[in-house]
Amino acid sequence: MSIAIVPHAERWKDAVEAFNRRMRLGGSRWGWYVEPVPAWIAKRRDDQRVWMEYWLAVEGNDQVRGGYGLKPQEWRVRGRSLVITDWQGPVSEGAISRKFNSLGLRLVRDMLKKRPLLYSWGHGSDEEPIVQMLRRMGWLMHPTPFALHVVDAYRFLRLNRQLRGTPERRLFLDGLAFTGIGNAALSALQWASSRRAAPIGRPRRKPKVEVTEVDSFGPWADELWHRVKDEYAALAVRDAETLNLLMPPGWTSPEWSPHTRLRVDRGGHTIGWVAVSARQMRDDPRFGALHVGTLVDYFAHPDDAGDVVAAGLDHLKARGVDIVIANQSHPTWLRAFEEQGFVLIPHRRLFAGSPPLREALAPFEETRNGLFLTNMDGHGPMGL
């Protein structure tokens, strides 16, 4: 029976639940959203500049076999306005049944037909089947690092589940934690990172920075956006309207931690902002029971990146987090993270761009030095 790719709708909710059950019984941890209207940035207006939408692969009249999500958003690329789309998924029964082996490829091709300027920012390993498939399709693959700052070394060594995968590792890390050697080693590593990245001949942080917590983004964010946007070769639009769609005032979700928005001023003028979150993890496969702070999104002139990163880091430290994490692609911002004692772990996340997007970003050898990506440019800080 043929498979059609259709918008998610109320009529498919039971079929999606049945699909999710089959995936679990088949040993897959993946499933798809039962609710057809996205909880985050659902499209409410025709002129909306960023939104999420869900699509399903349906066999016959009652069998859902897969799905994907699209997040179209207005970007600026070398002064041009383009709609560039992040994709989520695709998820298909090909993960558990050879009968549907080719469905993942069909879903990717369908996404490309709908939104040729397509990208995803994630994929931690070249060994992942989706990464191998995209390489064969001629996609751009640009590796980016993961930024980590350890605040409480003892808890980090004792509670980080990803590092404690074997009894031998647990014993070793416990020894580092209990003896204090781990704290000394991590402190030295972060100090070395900050010294290596520190600018020569000027202080690492400029004076007279004021940090204010705000409830939403206003005209001050628009003024900053219009003043600074052309300092970057490629980035998603970050004016007040778009930011308030991405981070609605007062909005909460079980999947996300609430965002705290910090406005950073110097001499009475806004130089940047940073949105942060903090979550106490419970039995997380990566972070175990750590209290994790995230620099979710931020913006400033590249010269002011250090002050903005410091504002977010200081705020999260005051909230008692164990670690602070972030993802970024821009070289100047990555250096700013290092200045503040973050350690950059290379090749932890791939920016995968479709062939049409590769062409729009050409020459990418130059564009990548001005490519600005944060967690918000992917699926958002899901689970954090």
Side-chain angles (χ1 to χ4, degrees):
M1 191 175 293
S2 63
I3 292 177
I5 300 175
V6 301
H8 197 347
E10 286 287 329
R11 62 174 293 199
W12 301 117
K13 288 172 64 172
D14 289 344
V16 173
E17 288 184 334
F19 165 76
N20 291 341
R21 285 195 296 271
R22 291 195 300 275
M23 293 290 281
R24 288 194 297 271
L25 289 172
S28 175
R29 63 189 180 94
W30 302 109
W32 198 245
Y33 299 97
V34 174
E35 293 298 326
V37 178
W40 180 50
I41 50 174
K43 191 168 187 178
R44 309 294 185 188
R45 310 188 317 266
D46 289 340
D47 62 346
Q48 195 165 309
R49 299 165 88 178
V50 57
W51 69 92
M52 279 290 299
E53 58 190 41
Y54 297 152
W55 295 80
L56 301 175
V58 177
E59 184 177 31
N61 294 319
D62 59 354
Q63 297 291 316
V64 168
R65 300 299 184 183
Y68 65 77
L70 297 176
K71 188 187 79 172
Q73 183 171 0
E74 183 181 355
W75 278 54
R76 278 185 66 83
V77 178
R78 300 185 182 278
R80 294 181 298 157
S81 178
L82 299 173
V83 175
I84 298 178
T85 302
D86 169 57
W87 56 270
Q88 185 177 355
V91 175
S92 83
E93 282 193 58
I96 61 171
S97 171
R98 299 174 70 177
K99 177 182 177 182
F100 301 102
N101 272 354
S102 64
L103 183 55
L105 176 59
R106 180 179 171 188
L107 291 172
V108 171
R109 287 175 171 166
D110 189 76
M111 289 189 284
L112 278 168
K113 288 180 182 178
K114 291 181 173 67
R115 296 287 176 180
L117 300 181
L118 194 67
Y119 79 93
S120 182
W121 194 36
H123 315 300
S125 169
D126 278 346
E127 302 304 315
E128 292 183 15
I130 185 68
V131 173
Q132 296 177 13
M133 180 178 71
L134 295 178
R135 286 193 187 280
R136 290 193 296 269
M137 294 174 70
W139 282 50
L140 167 72
M141 293 292 181
H142 175 53
T144 62
F146 173 73
L148 169 68
H149 185 95
V150 176
V151 181
D152 189 319
Y154 179 84
R155 287 177 56 82
F156 172 72
L157 294 168
R158 293 273 289 145
L159 300 177
N160 188 322
R161 178 171 292 180
Q162 193 169 37
L163 295 179
R164 298 172 61 86
T166 66
E168 293 78 13
R169 284 187 181 181
R170 289 194 291 273
L171 183 63
F172 176 69
L173 293 173
D174 285 347
L176 293 179
F178 288 125
T179 62
I181 295 173
N183 179 57
L186 287 168
S187 296
L189 181 63
Q190 294 181 164
W191 179 85
S193 176
S194 67
R195 297 310 303 162
R196 183 173 58 251
I200 298 173
R202 66 179 176 88
R204 292 167 56 209
R205 289 180 62 181
K206 300 172 185 177
K208 299 181 180 178
V209 170
E210 298 178 0
V211 181
T212 307
E213 187 173 334
V214 295
D215 295 328
S216 62
F217 296 91
W220 56 270
D222 284 329
E223 188 279 329
L224 176 69
W225 165 251
H226 290 296
R227 173 163 47 88
V228 173
K229 61 187 178 183
D230 290 329
E231 298 295 327
Y232 298 92
L235 78 167
V237 168
R238 282 174 167 78
D239 60 8
E241 178 185 351
T242 302
L243 293 170
N244 286 326
L245 285 168
L246 291 166
M247 293 174 275
W251 182 77
T252 60
S253 164
E255 193 173 31
W256 284 18
S257 298
H259 300 97
T260 300
R261 307 156 190 81
L262 304 173
R263 175 177 171 177
V264 185
D265 296 335
R266 183 190 295 117
H269 298 283
T270 298
I271 65 164
W273 55 262
V274 55
V276 302
S277 69
R279 171 168 287 192
Q280 176 60 61
M281 295 298 185
R282 308 289 184 195
D283 200 30
D284 185 83
R286 293 174 299 166
F287 301 116
L290 289 171
H291 190 190
V292 179
T294 306
L295 274 64
V296 175
D297 199 11
Y298 35 85
F299 188 62
H301 190 287
D303 289 346
D304 294 316
D307 287 306
V308 172
V309 171
L313 177 62
D314 290 346
H315 178 89
L316 289 168
K317 284 182 175 180
R319 292 177 64 174
V321 300
D322 300 319
I323 62 172
V324 180
I325 63 173
N327 293 96
Q328 178 54 243
S329 61
H330 193 280
T332 302
W333 280 86
L334 291 173
R335 189 163 58 250
F337 276 104
E338 288 187 301
E339 287 181 40
Q340 302 306 320
F342 282 79
V343 175
L344 301 184
I345 304 171
H347 300 102
R348 299 298 292 179
R349 206 169 191 183
L350 278 173
F351 175 75
S354 66
L357 181 57
R358 180 202 290 266
E359 184 177 340
L361 297 176
F364 189 71
E365 292 72 18
E366 298 177 11
T367 303
R368 66 182 181 182
N369 291 322
L371 175 65
F372 182 85
L373 296 167
T374 74
N375 291 64
M376 192 60 77
D377 294 309
H379 314 326
M382 300 177 69
L384 295 174

